[in-house]
Amino acid sequence: MKTSLLIIATSAALQGHVAIGQQTSARELKQKRRKTKSKGLKKDLNQAACTRDVFSMVNPHGDWDNTTHDFHPFVWYHTLEDIHSLWTEDYFDYVVDIRGLTDIIFDDGTDDGLLLEGWETVHIPGSFPIDAIPADQPPENITMLVDFQSSNICKDSRIFVHCWSGISANKVAKSLIALGFTNVHAAGPAGSAGLWDWITAGYDVFRGDTFDPEDYVPSCIECDMPEEVPEEGGI
């Protein structure tokens, strides 16, 4: 099957991404998941937001290999360290995980294959899975598990997109732009700036979750939902 996962498996550096990040309790996850953000209100600028570096097609990172990290003119790129600092300070409205829910084994030529963990196995606390794999499919073919593209409010939200290593996420970030998203952020360089690197750095993760669609309706979608009209009649 032709898929961008072929690119992910080529990096030998990924073999070392086995460190386990600090785990977040279910209670803490619920608190982060249920946190309501006031849309339209001015956010306080925290330290990370003021000091972050932003890289783009016109301002590429000097140490990134631009032959492997393909910049898009409308995607904002940051180092993973800055991404984590911004995430800690709630700079992003949403963290969008493009992976599927369950683990898959990719045939990388070894006896055991390469384990690609699913969202339910391990994910960034508070992230929303959309299952946009394969990442190189046409944007119009993407059917999101959590349907951010159903709402213009979601499309204008500040979104951080990630995958296992950053390669697939960079592809999907470009697809989101094609679908009308206006404020997409990704980590770089592609190939060493995904969940595996997040875990290696010791950043918070949540393990062993179960996806329930009712628990994962972002507020930007709720804003576009029609209000329930009470039935007529009765006492």
Side-chain angles (χ1 to χ4, degrees):
M1 183 177 71
K2 185 178 180 180
T3 172
S4 59
L5 297 180
L6 290 170
I7 305 176
I8 299 175
T10 58
S11 175
L14 299 182
Q15 303 293 332
H17 291 166
V18 295
I20 299 177
Q22 180 181 353
Q23 297 205 30
T24 302
S25 69
R27 182 176 181 181
E28 291 172 330
L29 174 67
K30 282 188 176 181
Q31 290 174 344
K32 193 168 189 69
R33 178 189 303 164
R34 303 265 185 203
K35 185 181 295 181
T36 304
K37 297 185 183 231
S38 300
K39 305 300 179 182
L41 298 180
K42 183 178 180 181
K43 289 185 177 182
D44 292 333
L45 289 178
N46 296 319
Q47 183 65 25
C50 293
T51 60
R52 74 194 191 284
D53 291 318
V54 181
F55 306 103
S56 64
M57 183 176 288
V58 296
N59 181 38
H61 192 294
D63 294 331
W64 295 0
D65 184 352
N66 294 337
T67 62
T68 57
H69 186 95
D70 188 14
F71 286 93
H72 187 283
F74 300 115
V75 176
W76 304 110
Y77 299 93
H78 313 268
T79 64
L80 190 65
E81 182 180 3
D82 274 353
I83 286 285
H84 177 258
S85 297
L86 293 167
W87 173 80
T88 301
E89 296 182 355
D90 289 326
Y91 176 79
F92 301 110
D93 294 315
Y94 303 103
V95 176
V96 171
D97 189 331
I98 73 160
R99 301 173 302 143
L101 295 178
T102 58
D103 298 354
I104 57 177
I105 300 295
F106 176 73
D107 184 5
D108 63 346
T110 63
D111 292 339
D112 297 329
L114 179 65
L115 174 63
L116 301 175
E117 303 90 339
W119 180 91
E120 290 188 328
T121 297
V122 58
H123 61 80
I124 296 174
S127 62
F128 289 83
I130 64 170
D131 192 3
I133 297 299
D136 54 0
Q137 63 183 301
E140 61 271 16
N141 291 353
I142 295 176
T143 301
M144 297 186 183
L145 193 60
V146 177
D147 194 11
F148 280 90
Q149 62 180 321
S150 66
S151 164
N152 286 331
I153 298 175
C154 291
K155 289 182 177 181
D156 287 338
S157 299
R158 187 181 289 148
I159 291 175
F160 163 51
V161 182
H162 81 89
C163 64
W164 299 277
S165 71
I167 294 175
S168 293
N170 195 25
K171 292 178 180 291
V172 173
K174 298 172 185 178
S175 295
L176 294 182
I177 296 297
L179 292 170
F181 287 75
T182 64
N183 203 343
V184 179
H185 298 249
S192 57
L195 181 64
W196 287 330
D197 303 273
W198 182 281
I199 294 172
T200 298
Y203 300 152
D204 286 354
V205 294
F206 186 84
R207 295 179 180 273
D209 204 354
T210 301
F211 177 74
D212 184 343
E214 294 185 359
D215 285 342
Y216 285 88
V217 180
S219 58
C220 58
I221 291 180
E222 292 177 344
C223 288
D224 282 353
M225 288 182 175
E227 295 183 5
E228 293 185 4
V229 178
E231 295 182 3
E232 295 182 0
I235 300 176

